[in-house]
Amino acid sequence: MSGPSDFQPTNPALKWIERRLPIMGLVHSSFVAYPTPRNLNYWWTFGAILSMMLGLQILTGVILAMHYTPHADLAFKSIELIVRDVNYGWLLRNMHACGASMFFFAVYIHMFRGLYYGSYKEPREILWILGVIIYLLMMATGFMGYVLPWGQMSFWGATVITNLFSAVPYFGESIVTLLWGGYAVGNPTLNRFFSLHYLLPFVIAGVVVLHIWALHVAGQNNPAGVEPKTEKDTVPFTPYATIKDAFGVSCFMLFFAWFIFYMPNYLGDADNYIPANPGVTPAHIVPEWYYLPFYAILRSIPNKLAGVVAMFGAIIILAFLPWLDNARTRSSKYRPLAKQFFWIFVAVCLGLGYLGSQPPEGIYVVAGRILTVLYFAYFLILLPLLSRIEKPRPVPNSIADDVLAKHGGKVASVIVALVVAGGLLVGGTQNARADDHGVAPPANKWSFSGPLGKFDRGALQRGLKVYKEVCSACHGLSYVAFRNLAEAGGPGYSVAQAAAFASDYKIKDGPDDKGEMFERAGRPADYFPSPFPNENAARAANGGAAPPDLSLITKARSYKRGFPMFLIDFFTQYQEQGPDYVDAVLQGYEDKPPAGFTLPEGAYYNKYFPGHAIKMPKPLSDGQVTYDDGSPATVAQYAKDVTTFLMWTAEPHMEARKRLGLQVFVFLILLTGLLYFTKKKVWANAH
C-alpha cells in the first residue's frame, strides 16, 4: 500500500545518504505519505499506543536492569533499593510495573477491535497471525517479569505455572527441571527468567516490525470493512492520522499517569511486598489480572493435561480465526447477529476473568466450565455457522460514503463501560487475594491520603519514638537508613539530628585488623539494625513465630473492601488498606475470645488478625510512651502514629510522587487540549 517513495531531499548531504541508504524515503512512504482510510475511529489509535508502550517498557526495563540483582538472596532487596536510593527509581519502577498492565489493557482493546471489524480476513491473515505471536510473546515476557521481584506471589506464581509443564507426557518433568535449573524454583530459575525477560522485548520489537510491514503491504482495515477505491477514500498518514494518534496517546497517558502517580499498587498484590519464602504458601495464588481468563479455563477442567491444552488452545485458536470465519462481510457493524454475539463473547471473557480470581470451588467451578465451553463454541461453532446463515446489511460502496453516513458518540460510553468492567475484574481479584479477616478494619482518615496528601511530621516523629521504645525490641527496619530521617518528605530531622539518633545504636562491623567482629556507634549511612542475629533466633525468642520486618508492612498487608468500595477507591485514590489494617491489629486485642472460639496455647485473640489467633502479645498500653509535644499517651494515638511512621518507611518518596504527579497532570491536560483543537483544525481540511 505504501508503494515506492517519491521523497527527494534537497540537502546535498542528505541526497548522498539517500542514494546509498534510502531510509528517509522509506520513512516518508510509510509514515508520511502512506494512504490511510479516512473513516478510522479512535479504536485504531491503540496501535500507536501499543508502539509507545513497547518503547517505554524497553527503555524503563533497560535502566532497571542496570540496578537489579538477579539472585534469590538479593533480588527483593535490590528492587527496594532501586525504589528508595536510585534517583527517580520509584518512577521507573512504577512506570514499568503499571506499564505492563497498561500494555495488556491496550492490546486487549486492539485485539477486540480486530475481532469486531474483521481485521483478520483476507488479505490480512499474516498480519493477524503476527499479532497473535506478539500476544504470546507478551504473555511469556509478562510472566517472567512478574517473577523478578521475588516476592511471595512471584515465587509461588512461578512454582504453579512452571509446574503445568509437568503435564506434558514423557517430557514434562524434564521440561520443568530445565525451566527451574534444578529440582525446585530457586536462583537458577530467577537467572533464566531475568535473561529471557530482558531478551524477549527485543524479539517482540522485531515481530512488531514485521507486523507493521505486513500492515503496509495489505493496507489498513477500517470500520466499514471495504477497501479504498479512490483518493477520496484516504488521507495522508501525516498530518491526519499522526495528530489523531497523538491526541489518543495523550488521553491514554492521562489514564496511565493516574496509576503511576496516585494508584501504583492498585493493580498489584500485597503479598509481593513480602520476600519469597518457600516454606509459607499464600492463601490465594492468583496471577495478574491479564492472565485470569486463561487461568479460569485451566482450572475449569479437572484433568491437568487437558486443562493445560485448553489454556494454550484458547490462545492458539485465535491464529486460525481467518479460516474459521468465512463471512464475506468483514465488519460486524453490518452484521447484526455477529455484533450481538461479539458482545456476548466479550461478556464471556470478562466472566472468565472474574472466575479466575475466585477460589476453585462450588459454583465458581461450574460457571467456569460453562463459560469455557462458550468461549470455544464462539470460534468453533458460532463463527462458521454465522457465515452461512447470517444476512448482513448493505455495505457502503466506498469509504467516502461511510464517512458521510457514520454517526459518532459511542466511543466514550464504550470506554467508560470497559473501565468499569476492568474495575470489577480487578476488584474481584483483590477480594480473592485478601485473607479472611472476619471483621473488616475500619477506614481511617490519614493525612497522607488523596492526591494532595502529605505526612504529618509530628506523627512521624512520634511514631519513630513508639517504634524505638516498643517495636524495635522484636521488629527490624532493614530497608531504612538513618540518613533517610533527614531527607525531604520524611520526619523532618536535620542531618545533625539524624546522626545523633544513629549514634544511639550499636552496629556490628568488621572484621578488624585482627579478623574479629566489633561493635561501633551507628552512622547516618547505616541501616536500622535487626534485634536478632538471624531468623531462627527471632523464632526461638517469639514462640516459633518470626516477627516480620516492618519496613514494608503497610504495603504487605491488605484487606478486601468489597463491592462497590473497590470501584469507588479507584476514583477517590483510596489505597490505605494497609495502614488501616496495621492500625486495627494494634488496637484489636481483646482479653477474652468470644464464646465457642478455641485459642491455641501461646496465642492472643485479635479480632482483626486473620484467624484471630496472633502470637504477638499486646504491644501497646496507655501511658507506655511519653510524648514530648503533649499528644495523648493512649493506645489509639500510639497506633495511629506508628502506622503513619511505617507508611513512610514503606514509601519514603510518596510526597515527591504526588507532587510530580500533579505537575504531570497539568502538563498532560494542557497538551491534550492543544492536540484536540489542533486535530479539529487539521481534520477540518479533510472534510
Side-chain angles (χ1 to χ4, degrees):
M1 283 292 293
S2 53
S5 172
D6 58 357
F7 175 75
Q8 293 295 332
T10 56
N11 185 282
L14 294 180
K15 284 183 178 180
W16 185 86
I17 295 173
E18 187 69 11
R19 285 197 301 270
R20 291 157 179 80
L21 183 65
I23 190 169
M24 288 176 287
L26 176 64
V27 171
H28 183 270
S29 64
S30 301
F31 301 105
V32 178
Y34 174 65
T36 304
R38 67 171 60 235
N39 64 337
L40 297 186
N41 55 38
Y42 282 107
W43 298 121
W44 265 260
T45 303
F46 282 89
I49 289 171
L50 285 166
S51 300
M52 182 268 296
M53 289 304 304
L54 176 61
L56 196 64
Q57 289 297 94
I58 290 176
L59 178 63
T60 55
V62 168
I63 299 173
L64 288 171
M66 296 176 183
H67 302 278
Y68 177 72
T69 306
H71 190 282
D73 296 332
L74 303 171
F76 186 89
K77 187 172 184 177
S78 73
I79 287 183
E80 277 305 308
L81 292 179
I82 289 172
V83 171
R84 295 165 185 270
D85 296 338
V86 174
N87 287 334
Y88 291 100
W90 60 267
L91 179 60
L92 290 169
R93 172 79 197 285
N94 287 355
M95 289 175 68
H96 198 72
C98 297
S101 287
M102 295 300 102
F103 205 172
F104 275 94
F105 176 75
V107 85
Y108 281 132
I109 293 179
H110 193 62
M111 291 168 66
F112 279 124
R113 186 267 294 167
L115 281 170
Y116 184 82
Y117 290 113
S119 297
Y120 49 84
K121 291 179 178 291
E122 186 184 3
R124 299 177 179 87
E125 298 94 334
I126 295 296
L127 174 66
W128 177 261
I129 292 171
L130 287 169
V132 175
I133 293 172
I134 292 171
Y135 178 57
L136 282 168
L137 290 171
M138 280 180 60
M139 295 191 79
T141 306
F143 166 66
M144 293 175 186
Y146 189 59
V147 174
L148 299 187
W150 213 240
Q152 271 290 75
M153 197 57 69
S154 293
F155 176 86
W156 288 100
T159 302
V160 170
I161 299 302
T162 52
N163 253 315
L164 296 178
F165 291 95
S166 65
V168 178
Y170 304 110
F171 308 106
E173 295 297 334
S174 299
I175 294 173
V176 173
T177 303
L178 178 64
L179 288 172
W180 287 351
Y183 298 101
V185 173
N187 194 61
T189 316
L190 182 60
N191 274 275
R192 281 162 165 73
F193 281 18
F194 173 66
S195 298
L196 291 172
H197 182 69
Y198 192 92
L199 172 66
L200 285 179
F202 297 100
V203 178
I204 292 174
V207 182
V208 166
V209 171
L210 296 178
H211 188 65
I212 296 173
W213 186 4
L215 173 69
H216 283 72
V217 170
Q220 285 181 293
N221 188 30
N222 59 85
V226 297
E227 299 296 333
K229 296 181 175 64
T230 65
E231 290 186 0
K232 292 182 179 180
D233 292 340
T234 61
V235 292
F237 187 83
T238 302
Y240 296 98
T242 305
I243 191 64
K244 194 171 185 178
D245 286 349
F247 172 66
V249 168
S250 184
C251 292
F252 186 82
M253 287 300 294
L254 281 167
F255 181 65
F256 186 18
W258 184 271
F259 288 97
I260 294 174
F261 296 105
Y262 297 124
M263 303 290 289
N265 299 310
Y266 187 76
L267 298 172
D269 193 302
D271 279 346
N272 238 21
Y273 284 106
I274 303 172
N277 185 349
V280 179
T281 306
H284 302 284
I285 301 175
V286 182
E288 290 290 81
W289 67 268
Y290 36 83
Y291 299 130
L292 289 176
F294 306 104
Y295 190 57
I297 292 174
L298 169 71
R299 297 191 312 180
S300 67
I301 300 176
N303 181 274
K304 185 177 181 180
L305 177 60
V308 172
V309 170
M311 181 182 69
F312 285 106
I315 305 170
I316 302 299
I317 197 172
L318 295 170
F320 297 92
L321 195 53
W323 296 277
L324 293 172
D325 182 8
N326 294 319
R328 294 185 178 182
T329 302
R330 286 200 186 104
S331 177
S332 294
K333 183 178 178 180
Y334 303 102
R335 300 176 61 191
L337 286 177
K339 180 191 295 187
Q340 294 177 22
F341 283 113
F342 169 80
W343 290 112
I344 293 173
F345 174 71
V346 172
V348 167
C349 292
L350 291 173
L352 283 170
Y354 173 77
L355 294 173
S357 69
Q358 302 304 308
E361 56 189 24
I363 188 64
Y364 297 126
V365 174
V366 176
R369 291 171 182 172
I370 293 172
L371 293 186
T372 298
V373 171
L374 292 177
Y375 179 93
F376 284 102
Y378 178 78
F379 295 106
L380 299 176
I381 299 174
L382 187 64
L383 289 181
L385 186 62
L386 281 179
S387 63
R388 289 178 169 81
I389 65 173
E390 186 180 32
K391 292 183 179 180
R393 299 199 336 254
V395 176
N397 292 324
S398 66
I399 292 175
D401 291 344
D402 180 61
V403 170
L404 295 174
K406 73 176 184 176
H407 303 283
K410 295 183 179 179
V411 173
S413 60
V414 174
I415 290 177
V416 171
L418 286 171
V419 170
V420 172
L424 291 170
L425 181 60
V426 173
T429 306
Q430 291 178 342
N431 286 352
R433 286 171 172 168
D435 292 329
D436 179 15
H437 291 274
V439 180
N444 293 287
K445 290 184 178 180
W446 301 99
S447 63
F448 48 82
S449 296
L452 303 177
K454 293 183 178 181
F455 288 115
D456 181 337
R457 303 292 172 230
L460 289 179
Q461 294 180 12
R462 292 192 301 269
L464 174 58
K465 189 170 186 179
V466 174
Y467 167 78
K468 182 179 181 181
E469 296 185 16
V470 180
C471 309
S472 62
C474 297
H475 300 274
L477 286 177
S478 59
Y479 297 106
V480 182
F482 294 115
R483 59 179 168 78
N484 298 141
L485 300 175
E487 293 177 351
Y493 289 122
S494 66
V495 174
Q497 287 174 317
F501 187 91
S503 65
D504 291 339
Y505 285 81
K506 295 297 182 182
I507 305 297
K508 193 172 185 179
D509 204 348
D512 57 13
D513 294 339
K514 298 180 181 179
E516 297 177 353
M517 303 300 290
F518 62 92
E519 285 189 343
R520 58 168 175 80
R523 303 165 184 162
D526 293 323
Y527 287 80
F528 279 75
S530 173
F532 302 103
N534 52 61
E535 184 176 332
N536 287 341
R539 290 185 182 279
N542 291 275
D549 186 273
L550 296 183
S551 304
L552 290 163
I553 196 71
T554 55
K555 291 166 73 173
R557 299 292 185 268
S558 186
Y559 68 95
K560 60 183 180 181
R561 297 266 284 172
F563 180 85
M565 289 309 301
F566 63 80
L567 199 56
I568 296 172
D569 290 345
F570 172 77
F571 294 102
T572 60
Q573 301 177 6
Y574 189 85
Q575 54 177 348
E576 279 70 45
Q577 293 93 332
D580 287 344
Y581 170 73
V582 173
D583 177 76
V585 167
L586 289 174
Q587 299 185 66
Y589 286 85
E590 295 183 357
D591 295 334
K592 293 183 179 180
F597 183 86
T598 303
L599 191 66
E601 185 178 353
Y604 303 86
Y605 184 82
N606 189 301
K607 63 180 179 180
Y608 296 113
F609 188 76
H612 306 300
I614 186 171
K615 287 283 188 178
M616 179 177 69
K618 183 179 179 180
L620 302 173
S621 58
D622 291 344
Q624 187 174 1
V625 178
T626 302
Y627 284 150
D628 299 329
D629 61 1
S631 296
T634 61
V635 171
Q637 187 67 46
Y638 296 153
K640 188 168 186 179
D641 289 341
V642 77
T643 300
T644 301
F645 172 70
L646 293 176
M647 186 63 201
W648 171 77
T649 65
E651 196 166 2
H653 299 294
M654 187 197 70
E655 290 186 2
R657 167 170 64 81
K658 293 182 177 181
R659 184 168 57 249
L660 181 60
L662 183 61
Q663 297 169 358
V664 169
F665 260 86
V666 171
F667 170 78
L668 286 176
I669 289 171
L670 293 174
L671 176 64
T672 303
L674 290 172
L675 288 172
Y676 174 75
F677 289 110
T678 304
K679 179 195 75 72
K680 292 276 286 184
K681 185 169 181 62
V682 168
W683 276 89
N685 300 327
H687 299 306

